[in-house]
Amino acid sequence: MSWIEAIFATLASPLFYRLTILSALPLVFAAIGGVFSEKTGVTNIALEGIMKIGAFTSIVFAIKFDNPWLGLIMGMLAGVILAALHAYVSIEWSADQIVSATALILIAQGLVGFLMIPIFGHKGQTNLVAHKLPTVELPIIKDIPFIGAIFNDLSIFFYFAIIIIFASWYLIYKTPLGLRMRAVGENPKAADTLGVNVKKIRYFGVLMSGLLAGLGGVYIALGDIGQFIEDMPSGKGFIALAAMILGNWNPIGAMWASLLFGAAEAMNIQLQSMLTLPSEMKALLNLLPFVITIIIVGGFVGKTRAPAADGQPYEKE
Amino acid sequence: MAQKIKESKWMPILVPIVSVLVALLIASVIILIIGKNPLLAYLKLFEGAFVGRAAWADNITKMTSLLLTGLAVGFGFRAGVFNIGAEGQMAVGGMMAVMVGINMGNVSPVFAIPITIFAGMLGGAFWASIAGYLKAKTGAHEVITTIMLNWIAYHIGNYLVSGPLAVGQGVPKSPEIAKSAQLPPLMTIQASNVPSGILIAVVAAIVMYIILEKTTTGYEIKAVGYNAYSAEYGGISISKNIVLTMAISGALAGLAGAIEVMGVHHRIFGAFTSGRGFDGITIALIGQNNPIGIIFSSFLISSLRSGSNSMQLAGIPDDIVVIIQGVIIFFVAADRIVKTWITKASTKLAKEGEAK
């Protein structure tokens, strides 16, 4: 099949759209997590590490207790704990947020690698869990051609994502808490003068980023293939950061950007299975999502704007 | 008194030392949790790094590339650029060195070695410049672009050794570079080669020290890093400096890749950098971005790395070293916590002294 044919065949197949959604899911969670943190003025480039801890913890608990729901909760909790370290040093001690987050990425990687042997007896990858989190069957929609093939039997995480996208948009733009978050991220001094507790709001933002990025990690391990592989999440945390920026620090924007990156990943998967290429050429197609990220971040970022106090420590005088 | 200690000139040295000690302490607790003996672990670590000639040879081999990636990251930091892409730049440097080095068959080493080194540096500089250019032109954050470039370099490397450059069976690998492009060992101790690359790396550290401390370019780079806006007000072009900084930083990482290829394996395997670009971040931070400090911190990390193998033989996963690195960076980021501890401790000591 030629390249052009393969691309058109991909675009015409419902599987492509389904894969786009599924590939976008972890990005949506982590990117919105990033939005929460950065809206309150704390950058959190540790999303990759948080996803890793979340993914690993969820599999540990899902296997040991044979309960995927416990895995889900513990995975998110692990994300919150890691984010709490970032929050503590960023908010209380004015630490360099980029450096602190880099440290957490290393700690997550080291901790997961370290625990693989005592917990699972070997490195590389864990066993498959016995029970994954459920998928959702849609009674009428499943019989509609094309649409049914896309949406029927999607992971329950798809519905989590829809709720989180709209709930966080509402929270950030329509509630007093959201107003405070934005005020703290734009001008902490002014917010402080008006009696907003800057520290508290920032803790909320960073801990939410841990919760959501942790959930993103849980999805890639427990929601998708049902096992943990050591090089997970293989750059998705950073692509989520790009999605957050491209989405202009807005949950709905982050959703669209995640879908775009999801489409790049789905295109990669589909082209690999359709094109008759030598295997080393197929491996080269793995570049696609990363190249697209660079082009987009490089080309569009001038049009977006970060919260003004993003990355700036705030100290009461 | 407390204020005096806080501003002491010893603080830049004390903070990393205390951070390292705290990291070792925390790692001990983690080792205890899995039911192993931390003292035994550290003893094995020490043996693996320092006992015997093979250990030293391995340690210095590792230190060579770590010193260079540390310099790469540290140089970026001085100019306010967070180059998280030393990993990819080192990989591209290695690939370039291989592609040029395999064609150096009939060239005298006097030319072949510098040409191959230069190819590696150019590769790293080019790779980093992409991120520098995007930051200067569109404001794209270098943390994101360099991470993406790392992944792209990783996939290109795997493609090269299983496609166009593939030789032999088994592990995907490139052909060996020509003999004339190989760096001769500094000395050979019982089949363990001490690579001469360490000399090049130390010279690079000294050159970087001179550039930063004694030249106008260095002054401009530091001025941009210290406060970009006032630097621009003072007539320094920020965008030119960002691209230049990234290029120099990338050239150092590319040099790490080239020297690794020319002095150690003489070829590349797929993803041959194995985290050394990221180790550069730890090294730069512990060395306080000072080239001379980085010589010492790269030795610290290379010792941890070469010791970790024998620790693993004693049943302690070598990932503990990564945790130690992470904790060190964490406390360097939160240096105020450490400064407060040091100040409190020294005030207490001073008071006890007065009481006597």
Side-chain angles (χ1 to χ4, degrees):
Chain A
M1 212 185 267
S2 82
W3 278 87
I4 303 288
E5 276 176 321
I7 289 173
F8 275 106
T10 300
L11 291 175
S13 112
L15 187 58
F16 167 72
Y17 298 95
R18 192 180 169 87
L19 283 174
T20 297
I21 291 172
L22 293 177
S23 309
L25 283 181
L27 303 178
V28 167
F29 296 128
I32 294 180
V35 171
F36 269 95
S37 180
E38 302 220 346
K39 274 287 182 211
T40 65
V42 181
T43 58
N44 188 356
I45 64 155
L47 298 179
E48 177 91 1
I50 296 173
M51 289 174 92
K52 187 161 207 144
I53 280 284
F56 178 73
T57 312
S58 72
I59 293 295
V60 169
F61 282 88
I63 287 183
K64 295 285 164 190
F65 295 89
D66 194 21
N67 184 341
W69 293 102
L70 184 67
L72 172 78
I73 291 166
M74 297 310 281
M76 291 197 294
L77 189 65
V80 171
I81 293 172
L82 201 65
L85 290 173
H86 186 55
Y88 177 69
V89 295
S90 305
I91 298 166
E92 307 285 346
W93 293 93
S94 306
D96 184 315
Q97 293 164 17
I98 301 272
V99 177
S100 148
T102 308
L104 292 177
I105 294 171
L106 276 178
I107 291 173
Q109 183 203 332
L111 212 53
V112 165
F114 184 81
L115 292 174
M116 282 293 279
I117 292 178
I119 296 181
F120 295 104
H122 54 84
K123 298 196 55 135
Q125 57 193 50
T126 68
N127 304 336
L128 286 166
V129 296
H131 301 98
K132 289 203 264 178
L133 285 168
T135 55
V136 179
E137 198 166 316
L138 301 168
I140 301 160
I141 292 173
K142 75 173 178 194
D143 298 323
I144 307 173
F146 208 81
I147 303 286
I150 299 175
F151 291 104
N152 190 40
D153 242 3
L154 274 180
S155 165
I156 192 167
F157 283 83
F158 172 68
Y159 300 93
F160 293 165
I162 291 181
I163 295 167
I164 286 167
I165 291 161
F166 291 100
S168 43
W169 176 82
Y170 186 82
L171 190 151
I172 291 171
Y173 291 100
K174 300 289 168 193
T175 66
L177 175 59
L179 182 65
R180 291 198 188 108
M181 284 171 64
R182 285 179 288 140
V184 166
E186 290 293 338
N187 192 338
K189 198 167 183 187
D192 193 4
T193 317
L194 293 172
V196 177
N197 187 333
V198 174
K199 277 188 180 179
K200 229 177 176 170
I201 298 281
R202 288 195 162 174
Y203 267 111
F204 173 73
V206 181
L207 295 184
M208 280 299 285
S209 77
L211 186 88
L212 291 173
L215 180 63
V218 174
Y219 170 72
I220 55 170
L222 188 58
D224 193 10
I225 56 174
Q227 70 174 156
F228 177 79
I229 302 171
E230 243 190 298
D231 71 354
M232 277 176 176
S234 58
K236 289 198 171 63
F238 291 100
I239 296 186
L241 279 177
M244 170 193 78
I245 294 169
L246 183 62
N248 209 0
W249 288 267
N250 177 322
I252 311 270
M255 171 193 77
W256 288 116
S258 300
L259 282 171
L260 185 73
F261 292 124
E265 182 61 34
M267 183 64 86
N268 168 29
I269 297 168
Q270 286 294 82
L271 288 182
Q272 289 206 29
S273 69
M274 279 188 189
L275 291 169
T276 40
L277 287 172
S279 62
E280 70 270 11
M281 284 295 286
K282 286 187 175 173
L284 205 55
L285 282 174
N286 290 327
L287 291 180
L288 212 57
F290 302 109
V291 172
I292 290 178
T293 307
I294 287 206
I295 292 172
I296 287 170
V297 173
F300 286 79
V301 93
K303 292 174 197 135
T304 62
R305 195 184 72 84
D310 198 7
Q312 310 283 329
Y314 175 70
E315 281 164 58
K316 240 181 163 139
E317 271 141 33
Chain B
M1 179 72 204
Q3 200 56 34
K4 211 161 134 196
I5 296 166
K6 248 187 175 159
E7 283 158 12
S8 150
K9 67 180 170 131
W10 292 103
M11 226 25 141
I13 301 168
L14 278 175
V15 170
I17 290 177
V18 173
S19 303
V20 170
L21 293 177
V22 174
L24 291 175
L25 201 67
I26 292 177
S28 311
V29 176
I30 296 172
I31 294 171
L32 272 176
I33 289 173
I34 63 160
K36 304 276 178 187
N37 182 349
L39 287 177
L40 179 75
Y42 292 145
L43 185 71
K44 288 283 166 198
L45 190 81
F46 184 83
E47 275 178 18
F50 305 118
V51 178
R53 289 163 175 174
W56 276 99
D58 180 51
N59 196 335
I60 290 170
T61 306
K62 289 201 162 73
M63 178 180 165
T64 304
S65 51
L66 292 175
L67 173 51
L68 288 166
T69 56
L71 291 175
V73 179
F75 190 82
F77 270 129
R78 287 303 271 277
V81 181
F82 195 67
N83 179 9
I84 222 169
E87 188 81 4
Q89 292 142 21
M90 181 179 169
V92 173
M95 289 180 227
M96 287 290 286
V98 161
M99 284 190 278
V100 171
I102 48 183
N103 295 311
M104 288 289 145
N106 298 319
V107 185
S108 145
V110 182
F111 297 107
I113 288 175
I115 290 172
T116 313
I117 286 183
F118 184 70
M121 292 176 75
L122 202 65
F126 164 72
W127 207 242
S129 303
I130 300 174
Y133 177 81
L134 289 174
K135 184 181 170 84
K137 287 292 159 194
T138 70
H141 202 296
E142 72 275 15
V143 166
I144 295 173
T145 49
T146 51
I147 284 282
M148 295 302 134
L149 287 165
N150 284 346
W151 283 99
I152 295 173
Y154 172 87
H155 287 299
I156 292 178
N158 281 335
Y159 165 71
L160 282 181
V161 293
S162 55
L165 286 184
V167 288
Q169 302 293 316
V171 187
K173 56 180 181 285
S174 75
E176 274 203 4
I177 57 171
K179 276 272 176 296
S180 58
Q182 298 179 2
L183 279 177
L186 194 60
M187 52 179 132
T188 302
I189 313 166
Q190 294 168 349
S192 316
N193 285 335
V194 177
S196 48
I198 187 68
L199 296 181
I200 301 176
V202 172
V203 168
I206 294 166
V207 169
M208 182 174 143
Y209 178 79
I210 293 169
I211 290 179
L212 278 175
E213 304 302 332
K214 311 279 177 211
T215 67
T216 324
T217 312
Y219 178 78
E220 288 192 1
I221 285 169
K222 284 190 291 182
V224 172
Y226 192 69
N227 186 336
Y229 294 106
S230 56
E232 187 158 53
Y233 188 71
I236 298 169
S237 160
I238 296 179
S239 52
K240 192 194 99 189
N241 262 288
I242 286 171
V243 181
L244 182 69
T245 310
M246 271 312 242
I248 296 176
S249 175
L252 287 163
L255 180 60
I259 287 185
E260 175 82 6
V261 164
M262 296 165 68
V264 187
H265 301 295
H266 307 139
R267 57 169 52 152
I268 53 168
F269 306 89
F272 75 104
T273 45
S274 57
R276 277 173 290 181
F278 290 109
D279 291 347
I281 301 169
T282 320
I283 290 160
L285 289 169
I286 301 175
Q288 305 274 307
N289 305 324
N290 176 320
I292 309 303
I294 289 170
I295 296 180
F296 291 100
S297 60
S298 63
F299 180 64
L300 171 76
I301 298 298
S302 70
S303 305
L304 284 175
R305 290 275 166 191
S306 53
S308 70
N309 288 341
S310 54
M311 201 173 62
Q312 203 168 16
L313 293 176
I316 293 131
D318 61 348
D319 294 274
I320 195 74
V321 170
V322 180
I323 302 178
I324 294 174
Q325 274 178 245
V327 177
I328 297 173
I329 300 188
F330 188 73
F331 282 108
V332 170
D335 59 347
R336 284 198 184 180
I337 299 184
V338 182
K339 282 180 187 166
T340 311
W341 287 341
I342 296 172
T343 312
K344 270 187 189 157
S346 43
T347 322
K348 204 177 154 198
L349 281 178
K351 265 189 192 148
E352 276 168 13
E354 275 164 31
K356 275 175 194 170

